[in-house]
Amino acid sequence: MAKIGLEVHVQLNTATKLFCGCRNEPNPKPNVNVCPTCLGLPGSKPRINEKAIELGYRIAFITNSKISHKMFFSRKSYFYPDMSKNFQITQYEIPLAIGGYFDVEVKGKRKRVRLIRVHLEEDPARLVHVGGGITTAKYVLADYNRSGVPLCEIVTEPDFKTAEEVVAFMKKLLSYLQHIQVFDVKKGKWRADVNVSVPGGNRSEIKNVGSIKDMEKSIRFEIMRQTHLVKFGKKVDMETRTFDSETGKTYTLRSKEEEIDYGYIFEPDLTSFEMSKDYFKKLDDSLPELPEEIEKRFRKDYGLNHEQASILTYADPALAGFFEKCAKTYNDHKKLANWLIVEVLGFLNSVNKEFYETSMPLRKKQFIKFLELMDSGKMTGRIGKELIGKFIASEDNPEKLLEKEGFSVIKDELKVRRIVKETVSEFPKAVSDYKSGKEKAVHFIVGAVLKKTRLQVDPETVKKMVVEEID
Amino acid sequence: MVKQHLQKMGKGLVKPETFFKKVRKEIVQKNKRLNIFISIPKKFDVKTKGKLGGLPVSVKDCVCTKGLQSTAGSKILEGYVPPFDATVVKRIKKEGGVIIGKTAQDEFGFGTFSTNCAYGTPKNPIDPSRSAGGSSGGSAVAVASLSFPHISIAESTGGSISCPASFCGVYGITPTYGLVSRYGLIDYSNSLDKIGVMGKNAWDCALGLSVIAGKDGLDQTCVGETKNYTTFKRVKDKVVGVPKEYFSSAVSESVQKNVWDAIKFFESEGATIKKVSLPNTHLALPAYYIIAMTESSTNLAKLCGMRYGLSLPIEGSFNEYFSKVRTKGFGEEAKRRILLGTYMRMKGYRNKYYLKAMKIRTLVINDFKKAFKTCDVLAAPTMPFIAPKFSEIRKLTPTQVYAADVLTVAPNLAGIPMMNVPCGTHKGMPIGLHLMADHFQEEKILGFAGVKAWRR
Amino acid sequence: MIDVKKVAGVARLNLTKAETKKFSKEVKDILKMFSELDKVNVSGVEPSFHVIKTFNVVREDRVEKSLTNKEALANTEHKEKGFFKGPKSV
C-alpha cells in the first residue's frame, strides 16, 4: 500500500502581505504591489501582519492542533531566482501549532488524517520561464507581486493510502478554510508538495501541485511509476519531482542527495510572540461558524434532509449564506432549497460556473421575487425552469425578465379560451378519442395549446378548458 | 560651534548658499587627501528651519539615502540608489539637517581599521599614515578634519563608532540597541547593529541623538522613547565602576594612564570610584563574532546580481550566475565572514557555535546588569592602543585584527549604550575613554561626557 | 573540520585553489579562537536572541503605498516587459 503525505500551502485572506503593507491581491501587471521589503532591497525590514497570525491560529483551531502560546520566526536560507532575500522568513523550531488532525469521509468510511504542524511563512515571487519549461528555459522573468504574500503551511503525516483519500481531504480542507474565511477562493491560491512512496522504494516529493485534479493524476502516476520500478527490482530514488499536467507525468527536478542545509537562525528583525489566554478566547469567540454546525442547523431549523443540508453547506462557499439570507423572509424553505439545489446549481453545472463566481450571492431580493412569481401564478413552474439560466446570467429583476422574454402568464381568460377553441377544432381525432373514453387524448390538445401560448398558461387550467370546450 | 551655527542660521545671520558653497569646496578638497566620502550629492538640499536647521550632516554609507548611492562600502552595491530614506535620514531632513555626503567604511561593517573599504581607505587626519579606525572610519575623519560645524551619523555593531572616534580623537555615542530605528540600515548583524552619532563634543552628539532616537513603526525592534538629551546632569554623587578585566596587559600603558587620569577627574568632580568585575568579558569576543558572522551571512545572501547592485550578463543557471556576481563583488574579509557564518549555522555546528554564542550573550548581559545595580556608569579604555600604522595592519592575521575589538565587543554584544570621549594623547595620537551605562541610560553617559571640554 | 570548498558552494562563492588553501588556514585559526566557548557550561542558560526581551510587536493589516513599477525596476538593467530578468532556475 502506498504512503502519501502532504505539505499544503494556502495563501491567507489578508488585505496586505505578511511583512509589508503591499496589497495581497493578484494583478496581471507585474511588479506593481511591491515595496523595498518584498523586493528584498538592502536596508528594508519585515513588519509582521497581525491578521495573518490570527488567521493562522484559526486554522490551528479547526485542525484540533496544540496551539503554541509562545512562538517566533526563523530564517531559512537557500538560493533561488524567486527569492527576494535568498532566505525565507518562516517558522522552524516553534510553529503556530502542532499535532492536530482532520477527519474526512472516504467512500462512506471515516478517515482521520494526522497533522504534524501548522505554521506561517512568506510566498516567493512568481517566475515565468522564458523559452521553455522549468527545465528547458533560457532565463526567467520574476514578478514580485506574490513575494511576501502570507502562506499557512499545513503538513500531514503520511497517513494517506490512495489518491481518493487525498482528494476527499483537500476538498473538505479547502471548504473549511473558505468557511472560516482564512482563504478566499476568489483571489487566493493554494499549492501542495506531495510525498509518495511505495513499499520497497524511497520517497519522492512532487513539488508545487496546484489543483485537486493534478494532485489526483500525479499521485496515480507516481504510485504506478514507483510500483513498476520496484516490481522489476529497480531502485526508486529519493528525489524531488515536478508534475506536468499536459503530459500527465512527473519528472525529476533534483535528487535528494543534494539535500539543502537551510542553516536556520532566529529572525532578529521580528520580536518574539507570547499570546495571552485573552487573545485566544477572543479568537475562539470570533471564529466563524464551522460547516458541521451549519449543516446541523439546516436540518434542525429549516427541516431539510441530510442531502439537501450537505449540498447547501459544502457545494459552494457562498451558497449556505445565500440560502440562509433568503430563508429569513421566504418561508417555504423546502422549495427554496430545492430550487437552489436542482435548478440553480443544475444550470451552473451545465455552464461550468461556480455559484460564488456569479452575481447571485448579492441578488437575494430578486431570487425571492422569482420564487414568488411562481407562487402567485404569474409565472408557471415550467417557465421558471426555462428562465432560470437567463435570470442568473442577466442582472434583470424577474418581472422585467418575464416581460422581456414574453413569458408573462396570459391573464386574459377569453384569449385563452379562444385559443383552446381554435386548437380543439384542429384535432378532431383527439376529440373523438377522448369522447370514446381515451382520457389521455386530451393531452395532445393541451400540449398544442401550450405550444401556441408559449407555455404562458398553466397546464392544469388549459386541460380544464379543453375538457369544457369538448363537452 | 554647532550650537552657535544653529543659532545664527535660525536668526538669518548666515547666508546658506555662501556657507554651503564653502562646505562643498572643503569636502571635495579634503576628500582627495583623506578619502572621507564615497558619494557627495550633486546638489545639497539646503534648509534652515528645525532643530538641525542648516547643519551639515554626513551619513555612513550603509544608511540608505533616497536618490543618493548607498553601497555600505562594497563593490557589490555599486550604483545602488535606494528609493527610500532610512528613518534616521528622514528625521534629520525633517529637522533641517543637510546631507553633505556618504562616508567611507569597511565593507558592510566588516573591519576595525576601515582598510576593507572597496572605494579607498579613509586616512587618519592627525597622521595619514595611520588608520582612522573602523568600520565608521569616514565618519570619524569627517568630524575630526572638517572645519565647519557638522555631525556624522554612523553605525556600530561591535565597536564601529567607538573605535574610530577613539583613533581620531572625537566623540561618538552608540545608543542602546533598539533606541534608534534600523529601518534603512543596510544590515551587518541585525541583533547587534545600532545607529549613532559622532561629533566634536558631547552636546553635538546629544543633539543628533535627540533627533534620531525613538519608536519607529517601520522597525519592529525599535522600542525607544524620543526625548531631549541635551540637558546634562551633574556627576556629583554618581558611581563610576571600573571593570578590572579592561585594564589587562593587553592594553598599552599610555592608554591605561590617560584613562585613569580621566577617571580621577570624575572623582574630583564629586563622583565615587568603584572597582567591579565582569568575569565573562573574555567570552564576549568569540560570542560576538559568531553571532555577527552567522547573522551577516544570511543578510548578504540577497546580494546576487538580481534587482540591484553589481550585475553581469544573464547567462547560465542561477547557481552559476549568483556565484559569479558574488565572487566578483565581495572583498576578502566579506568572503571570510560569509564562509564562517554559513558554516557555524549548518546542521551539526549550529548548537556548538550559534546557539552557544546566544547563551554566552546572556552571561555577558548578566555581568553588566549586576554591575549597574551598584554603578551609574562604567569607565574603561575604548581601544587597547593608539591608531596603528597601515604598514603594521598589513602584517596582522585576521584573528589578530578581531582581537583589537576586545574592549568594545562586550558592551556592543549586550546592547548597552556607550560613548567614546577623547581624554588624552600619546605620540600625538588620541586616546579614548569609554563610558558605558545600563540599557536606555544614555543621559548618565552624557552627564559624564559633558563634564568638561575634553578635546584638545 | 570545516570543508571550505563545500561551504563556499553552499554560500555561492567561487574560490581558486589558492584561496581555498588560504581561507582554510585562516578559518581554522579563527575557529580555534571561537572554541574558547567549548569549555563554558551553559546548562540552564536561556539564549538571548535579542538583548532586551520584546514581545508581540505587530502591524495592522492596512494597505500602504507601494512603489511604482518604474521605481521598482530602477536599480537594474536586467528587466523585460515590467518583469525582473534573472538566470534560469535549473
Side-chain angles (χ1 to χ4, degrees):
Chain A
M1 269 268 89
K3 260 175 138 180
I4 308 157
L6 303 177
E7 286 165 32
V8 186
H9 300 87
V10 180
Q11 289 184 338
L12 293 176
N13 185 20
T14 56
T16 63
K17 296 184 177 185
L18 187 53
F19 296 117
C20 64
C22 289
R23 272 180 221 279
N24 173 9
E25 194 180 75
N27 196 314
K29 286 204 204 107
N31 297 302
V32 289
N33 292 335
V34 293
C35 74
T37 300
C38 53
L39 285 175
L41 296 189
S44 64
K45 303 282 181 280
R47 293 172 294 138
I48 193 159
N49 182 340
E50 66 180 359
K51 185 88 198 223
I53 296 178
E54 188 192 312
L55 297 185
Y57 276 126
R58 275 197 210 169
I59 296 179
F61 278 155
I62 62 145
T63 55
N64 309 291
S65 303
K66 293 189 206 45
I67 309 263
S68 311
H69 291 255
K70 279 190 181 176
M71 62 160 187
F72 60 82
F73 289 81
S74 302
R75 290 184 176 180
K76 178 182 184 181
S77 293
Y78 63 101
F79 289 84
Y80 205 63
D82 66 358
M83 302 285 284
S84 62
K85 302 181 290 295
N86 285 326
F87 64 81
Q88 180 196 44
I89 301 179
T90 177
Q91 293 188 293
Y92 175 57
E93 278 102 336
I94 309 185
L96 269 183
I98 56 168
Y101 60 85
F102 199 66
D103 291 335
V104 297
E105 222 176 82
V106 187
K107 291 194 183 128
K109 281 170 109 182
R110 190 197 76 153
K111 182 182 175 73
R112 173 156 293 187
V113 178
R114 294 170 303 160
L115 301 183
I116 298 177
R117 56 172 22 223
V118 172
H119 73 249
L120 292 176
E121 60 183 36
E122 51 177 341
D123 219 346
R126 180 178 67 95
L127 292 181
V128 175
H129 304 273
V130 179
I134 296 181
T135 48
T136 52
K138 292 198 172 59
Y139 58 91
V140 298
L141 293 179
D143 172 14
Y144 291 83
N145 285 343
R146 194 183 78 179
S147 169
V149 163
L151 294 179
C152 184
E153 182 171 339
I154 302 162
V155 185
T156 76
E157 295 276 11
D159 284 351
F160 299 99
K161 294 193 170 59
T162 65
E164 279 96 355
E165 291 179 352
V166 171
V167 169
F169 172 83
M170 287 303 301
K171 279 195 170 158
K172 188 173 178 190
L173 177 70
L174 291 175
S175 154
Y176 264 63
L177 297 183
Q178 278 154 205
H179 268 283
I180 63 169
Q181 296 161 34
V182 302
F183 175 65
D184 180 359
V185 66
K186 288 191 286 274
K187 65 164 189 163
K189 290 208 161 57
W190 63 268
R191 57 190 189 271
D193 296 335
V194 185
N195 291 284
V196 184
S197 70
V198 298
N202 284 308
R203 174 173 62 89
S204 64
E205 184 187 18
I206 313 166
K207 279 207 90 67
N208 296 325
V209 187
S211 73
I212 299 187
K213 274 229 155 42
D214 278 359
M215 280 179 90
E216 192 178 12
K217 284 192 207 155
S218 63
I219 292 170
R220 287 198 209 282
F221 176 84
E222 195 54 24
I223 291 177
M224 192 183 68
R225 182 189 77 92
Q226 292 186 12
T227 310
H228 190 85
L229 285 172
V230 169
K231 188 173 174 185
F232 289 96
K234 296 213 180 93
K235 182 170 184 241
V236 178
D237 289 324
M238 193 167 183
E239 59 181 5
T240 306
R241 298 177 75 83
T242 179
F243 177 69
D244 185 334
S245 15
E246 274 182 46
T247 63
K249 299 185 179 162
T250 65
Y251 302 89
T252 307
L253 261 185
R254 61 176 174 268
S255 86
K256 286 275 194 194
E257 258 105 50
E258 303 155 15
E259 189 91 38
I260 304 168
D261 188 327
Y262 296 111
Y264 291 96
I265 63 166
F266 173 91
E267 172 52 74
D269 283 339
L270 298 174
T271 62
S272 298
F273 293 89
E274 207 173 310
M275 305 321 226
S276 63
K277 280 209 181 90
D278 214 39
Y279 175 85
F280 288 113
K281 182 161 187 305
K282 275 203 190 110
L283 216 61
D284 202 16
D285 290 342
S286 71
L287 203 66
E289 202 179 11
L290 293 183
E292 282 144 344
E293 291 154 35
I294 297 175
E295 217 190 320
K296 246 190 239 162
R297 210 154 43 68
F298 281 0
R299 291 203 302 268
K300 184 160 157 261
D301 297 349
Y302 301 102
L304 303 180
N305 65 39
H306 181 85
E307 195 186 342
Q308 288 173 316
S310 180
I311 294 175
L312 286 175
T313 306
Y314 293 109
D316 182 282
L319 198 55
F322 184 75
F323 169 80
E324 196 134 38
K325 258 193 277 175
C326 294
K328 282 202 165 69
T329 49
Y330 187 82
N331 296 321
D332 191 343
H333 301 147
K334 287 210 172 68
K335 184 168 187 173
L336 176 64
N338 199 46
W339 267 85
L340 279 175
I341 293 169
V342 179
E343 301 305 331
V344 174
L345 287 188
F347 169 74
L348 290 173
N349 216 16
S350 69
V351 297
N352 244 316
K353 264 208 178 267
E354 304 290 341
F355 183 81
Y356 75 83
E357 285 176 327
T358 67
S359 59
M360 280 299 288
L362 304 166
R363 296 171 67 196
K364 160 196 109 162
K365 280 209 179 102
Q366 290 188 344
F367 186 66
I368 291 177
K369 190 83 212 162
F370 191 95
L371 296 174
E372 283 172 347
L373 282 178
M374 288 187 285
D375 293 339
S376 65
K378 290 207 183 92
M379 176 170 72
T380 66
R382 282 193 64 175
I383 292 181
K385 290 182 188 193
E386 290 267 330
L387 288 183
I388 189 69
K390 288 208 169 93
F391 172 73
I392 292 170
S394 72
E395 301 289 304
D396 286 335
N397 76 55
E399 280 147 327
K400 226 191 205 152
L401 183 67
L402 204 59
E403 228 181 89
K404 207 162 86 178
E405 295 292 321
F407 272 131
S408 305
V409 169
I410 299 173
K411 295 192 179 81
D412 189 346
E413 200 183 314
L414 284 172
K415 188 173 175 194
V416 179
R417 283 207 185 271
R418 233 185 300 128
I419 297 171
V420 168
K421 190 175 181 164
E422 186 187 276
T423 315
V424 165
S425 63
E426 287 166 11
F427 286 84
K429 185 166 185 298
V431 171
S432 63
D433 280 346
Y434 175 75
K435 280 191 173 149
S436 57
K438 288 186 184 152
E439 301 233 350
K440 291 225 171 104
V442 79
H443 289 158
F444 274 123
I445 306 174
V446 171
V449 171
L450 287 175
K451 201 172 174 185
K452 279 190 195 171
T453 60
R454 296 173 72 233
L455 302 171
Q456 285 160 252
V457 280
D458 174 48
E460 285 307 309
T461 315
V462 169
K463 190 175 171 197
K464 216 169 67 180
M465 284 184 183
V466 168
V467 169
E468 279 170 15
E469 181 61 29
I470 294 174
D471 290 338
Chain B
M1 241 223 291
V2 167
K3 210 183 213 169
Q4 293 94 315
H5 175 81
L6 291 170
Q7 282 166 352
K8 280 196 216 151
M9 270 285 172
K11 292 189 181 136
L13 299 171
V14 178
K15 278 212 183 81
E17 309 81 40
T18 321
F19 174 75
F20 279 99
K21 227 177 177 168
K22 285 203 200 119
V23 164
R24 183 177 289 276
K25 194 163 176 229
E26 188 179 331
I27 62 179
V28 169
Q29 187 220 17
K30 289 205 166 125
N31 208 31
K32 291 195 186 100
R33 193 170 48 96
L34 300 171
N35 246 314
I36 308 171
F37 294 100
I38 296 177
S39 305
I40 295 171
K42 288 194 179 79
K43 231 182 137 240
F44 294 148
D45 185 16
V46 177
K47 296 195 193 79
T48 54
K49 298 234 176 332
K51 292 199 185 99
L52 304 176
L55 182 70
V57 179
S58 63
V59 177
K60 188 176 182 183
D61 207 25
C62 55
V63 178
C64 286
T65 41
K66 185 174 180 179
L68 182 58
Q69 181 184 244
S70 304
T71 70
S74 178
K75 265 284 179 288
I76 208 166
L77 278 176
E78 186 165 32
Y80 172 53
V81 178
F84 62 99
D85 274 327
T87 296
V88 301
V89 172
K90 247 190 251 154
R91 291 180 180 182
I92 286 165
K93 286 181 177 174
K94 190 157 179 253
E95 288 295 345
V98 181
I99 309 294
I100 59 167
K102 306 299 296 297
T103 60
Q105 58 164 102
D106 282 300
E107 179 175 20
F108 296 109
F110 301 154
T112 310
F113 304 116
S114 293
T115 46
N116 296 319
C117 181
Y119 299 90
T121 306
K123 300 193 174 47
N124 196 313
I126 302 160
D127 176 353
S129 74
R130 292 180 186 267
S131 165
S135 59
S136 311
S139 284
V141 176
V143 174
S145 69
L146 297 174
S147 71
F148 50 82
H150 145 270
I151 56 171
S152 191
I153 301 302
E155 177 276 335
S156 171
T157 305
S160 295
I161 292 177
S162 299
C163 165
S166 176
F167 285 173
C168 293
V170 298
Y171 292 70
I173 187 164
T174 305
T176 309
Y177 176 87
L179 177 62
V180 178
S181 171
R182 290 179 300 112
Y183 182 74
L185 171 63
I186 297 175
D187 308 297
Y188 166 172
S189 175
N190 318 62
S191 73
L192 289 160
D193 293 345
K194 314 136 196 109
I195 294 178
V197 189
M198 293 173 92
K200 283 194 163 92
N201 58 56
W203 192 88
D204 296 357
C205 292
L207 178 68
L209 189 63
S210 308
V211 170
I212 63 174
K215 197 157 188 224
D216 178 26
L218 296 177
D219 171 2
Q220 292 190 329
T221 63
C222 179
V223 292
E225 249 185 85
T226 307
K227 50 176 152 162
N228 179 8
Y229 291 96
T230 57
T231 319
F232 299 156
K233 298 209 173 86
R234 295 169 64 198
V235 307
K236 188 173 186 301
D237 301 327
K238 296 256 179 357
V239 180
V240 179
V242 181
K244 67 174 191 193
E245 290 82 5
Y246 287 65
F247 291 86
S248 72
S249 55
V251 182
S252 83
E253 262 183 54
S254 55
V255 167
Q256 291 201 37
K257 180 187 176 301
N258 276 276
V259 169
W260 267 113
D261 284 347
I263 295 172
K264 281 193 215 125
F265 181 80
F266 293 141
E267 207 173 24
S268 73
E269 289 287 302
T272 327
I273 312 295
K274 184 177 199 291
K275 290 218 168 92
V276 295
S277 170
L278 303 170
N280 292 296
T281 300
H282 64 292
L283 302 176
L285 192 74
Y288 162 77
Y289 272 107
I290 291 170
I291 294 170
M293 289 182 187
T294 47
E295 288 185 356
S296 67
S297 65
T298 64
N299 288 320
L300 263 45
K302 59 173 66 70
L303 301 157
C304 59
M306 271 190 86
R307 302 182 303 285
Y308 43 77
L310 181 74
S311 69
L312 291 169
I314 303 271
E315 269 166 1
S317 80
F318 71 99
N319 281 321
E320 292 162 349
Y321 177 76
F322 288 176
S323 303
K324 277 205 192 103
V325 173
R326 290 163 65 78
T327 305
K328 183 170 186 210
F330 287 130
E332 192 186 300
E333 183 62 34
K335 286 179 183 167
R336 198 161 22 239
R337 295 196 189 201
I338 291 170
L339 289 171
L340 278 160
T342 305
Y343 172 72
M344 292 190 293
R345 52 185 173 82
M346 284 169 81
K347 247 186 244 179
Y349 306 105
R350 205 169 156 262
N351 283 336
K352 175 179 157 105
Y353 295 107
Y354 173 73
L355 283 175
K356 185 93 185 253
M358 288 297 183
K359 293 180 179 178
I360 298 289
R361 181 193 260 182
T362 306
L363 300 180
V364 171
I365 294 172
N366 290 345
D367 275 1
F368 282 113
K369 288 293 184 188
K370 186 159 172 237
F372 288 125
K373 282 206 168 88
T374 55
C375 307
D376 291 290
V377 296
L378 297 179
T382 307
M383 296 300 286
F385 36 73
I386 57 170
K389 289 188 187 283
F390 291 116
S391 55
E392 294 168 320
I393 296 169
R394 272 189 280 274
K395 299 186 195 139
L396 297 174
T397 66
T399 321
Q400 286 168 324
V401 173
Y402 298 159
D405 291 336
V406 67
L407 300 175
T408 56
V409 283
N412 271 283
L413 183 62
I416 59 174
M418 66 204 91
M419 188 165 194
N420 178 75
V421 175
C423 66
T425 59
H426 174 70
K427 293 187 185 163
M429 295 308 297
I431 289 173
L433 161 75
H434 215 203
L435 293 166
M436 298 165 263
D438 202 354
H439 293 123
F440 300 111
Q441 300 291 311
E442 283 77 5
E443 286 147 315
K444 290 196 173 159
I445 291 171
L446 287 164
F448 279 88
V451 83
K452 75 165 181 181
W454 297 86
R455 205 177 120 88
R456 284 212 276 88
Chain C
M1 243 324 3
I2 177 173
D3 179 351
V4 165
K5 191 152 182 246
K6 176 165 176 245
V7 177
V10 172
R12 303 309 188 275
L13 292 172
N14 295 330
L15 302 180
T16 62
K17 266 212 182 100
E19 282 172 329
T20 308
K21 200 169 169 208
K22 174 168 143 56
F23 281 136
S24 295
K25 183 177 181 303
E26 290 167 345
V27 154
K28 193 170 161 207
D29 254 356
I30 297 166
L31 287 174
K32 191 153 171 263
M33 189 255 277
F34 291 169
S35 66
E36 172 101 35
L37 299 185
D38 292 349
K39 320 171 202 150
V40 185
N41 182 354
V42 288
S43 61
V45 181
E46 286 294 308
S48 292
F49 296 114
H50 276 145
V51 296
I52 299 169
K53 302 240 183 297
T54 335
F55 291 93
N56 302 349
V57 180
V58 293
R59 168 183 59 89
E60 204 186 313
D61 186 25
R62 203 162 29 103
V63 175
E64 295 167 4
K65 196 157 177 247
S66 289
L67 293 174
T68 62
N69 182 263
K70 193 170 175 220
E71 286 171 325
L73 296 169
N75 268 297
T76 181
E77 50 169 17
H78 293 313
K79 48 196 170 190
E80 194 180 285
K81 297 188 206 139
F83 288 89
F84 287 94
K85 193 172 170 192
K88 62 184 174 165
S89 62
V90 158

